Every structure is written in structure tokens, then in C-alpha cells.
């Protein structure tokens, strides 16, 4: 797998989300090094706080590909998944996760005003092992957030 190639697509999706008036998050679903689905955050345009990039991706992919195919895929995401998205990743039986910006860095950018546990903490409580790789291209991932979010 080419982690950097897929991560840069996630960054492009995050940047596109900003252009559409949403928060800077993007995700892709990869099987055999091929992107099957991609999604971005649509919280603002959908007026729905659950429309994170990962949830948008999992929802569409599950409906269109089926659970068996989704379970053979890796999820790449511009930022380490939140607790809600980590739960969805677990229940979708995703094969593994690769992320860019780590949760603790996003928390620092927010000024420690949020609750952002590491996804491995959520995955550790699940019923199966879920490989997690990251951060990948961390500086690029962090820069997207530093430019988007106001300094606390």
C-alpha cells in the first residue's frame, strides 16, 4: 500500500470540504491499494453533527458495496477518527485505519477544549484487533487544521 498517496487524497478532500463550507476532514476506503470510495466532512452543509468524513464514507460504502467488501478495506483519514467514527469503523469491520493528524494534536489546536480520545483507546475496547497506522504525513495534516481553526 502507498500510505502517502492515499493520505494526500484525504488532504485534498479535507481542503475541498473547507471550500464547500465544512470542516477540514476527508477519508478514503482502500482495497488492494485502490480507492473504492471517498468522502469529506459535510457537517455544515447537511446541518448534521454526525456527518463526519468517516461516517459519510462508511454509510455509502456499506450500502453500495456490502459488509463483506467493506471488511476487506482499509480506511484512510486526514485526521485520527473521533470516538463516534471509531465506533462506526469497528462495527463496519473495517480491516484497519491509517490517519494523518493525531487526535492529541487536534486537541492542542482546539486549545484542549474538546474530548478527543485516541482511536486506539476505542478500538482496544472492541471485540477484535484493529490495526492502526499513523500519523502519516503529520506536518501536512496538522497544517490543514492550523490554517482552518482559529487560535484559542
Amino acid at each position: 500500500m502507498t500510505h502517502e498517496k492515499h493520505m494526500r487524497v484525504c488532504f485534498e478532500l479535507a481542503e475541498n470540504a473547507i471550500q464547500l463550507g465544512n470542516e477540514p476532514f476527508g477519508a478514503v476506503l482502500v482495497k488492494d491499494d485502490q480507492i473504492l470510495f471517498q468522502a469529506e466532512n459535510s457537517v455544515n452543509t447537511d446541518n448534521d453533527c454526525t456527518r463526519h468524513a468517516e461516517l459519510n464514507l462508511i454509510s455509502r460504502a456499506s450500502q453500495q458495496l456490502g459488509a463483506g467488501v467493506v471488511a476487506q478495506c482499509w480506511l484512510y483519514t486526514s485526521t485520527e477518527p473521533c470516538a463516534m467514527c471509531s465506533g462506526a469503523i469497528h462495527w463496519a469491520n473495517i480491516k484497519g485505519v491509517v490517519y494523518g493528524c493525531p487526535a492529541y494534536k487536534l486537541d492542542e489546536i482546539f486549545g484542549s477544549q474538546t474530548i478527543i480520545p485516541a482511536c486506539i483507546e476505542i478500538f482496544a475496547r472492541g471485540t477484535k484487533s484493529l490495526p492502526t497506522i499513523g500519523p502519516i504525513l503529520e506536518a501536512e495534516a496538522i497544517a490543514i487544521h492550523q490554517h482552518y481553526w482559529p487560535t484559542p
Side-chain angles (χ1 to χ4, degrees), residues 20-32:
L20 295 173
N22 292 297
E23 297 172 348
F25 301 93
V28 298
L29 194 66
V30 175
K31 180 179 182 231
D32 300 326

Side-chain angles (χ1 to χ4, degrees), residues 7-84:
M7 192 56 59
R8 286 207 166 91
V9 173
C10 293
F11 297 161
E12 290 172 13
L13 291 164
E15 294 286 354
N16 192 59
I18 294 169
Q19 297 304 313
L20 295 173
N22 292 297
E23 297 172 348
F25 301 93
V28 298
L29 194 66
V30 175
K31 180 179 182 231
D32 300 326
D33 205 34
Q34 297 298 312
I35 294 175
L36 301 182
F37 273 90
Q38 58 186 39
E40 57 198 40
N41 179 288
S42 62
V43 165
N44 295 330
T45 54
D46 288 345
N47 196 29
D48 181 346
C49 67
T50 68
R51 297 294 82 210
H52 291 193
E54 298 91 338
L55 280 181
N56 287 337
L57 180 77
I58 291 167
S59 179
R60 264 191 33 230
S62 295
Q63 292 169 5
Q64 294 182 28
L65 296 175
V69 175
V70 171
Q72 298 171 37
C73 297
W74 281 76
L75 189 148
Y76 284 74
T77 182
S78 59
T79 304
E80 186 173 0
C82 71
M84 176 179 66

Side-chain angles (χ1 to χ4, degrees), residues 23 32 38 60 76 88 98 101 107 114 119 142:
E23 297 172 348
D32 300 326
Q38 58 186 39
R60 264 191 33 230
Y76 284 74
V98 182
C101 179
D107 195 40
T114 59
C119 66
I142 291 169

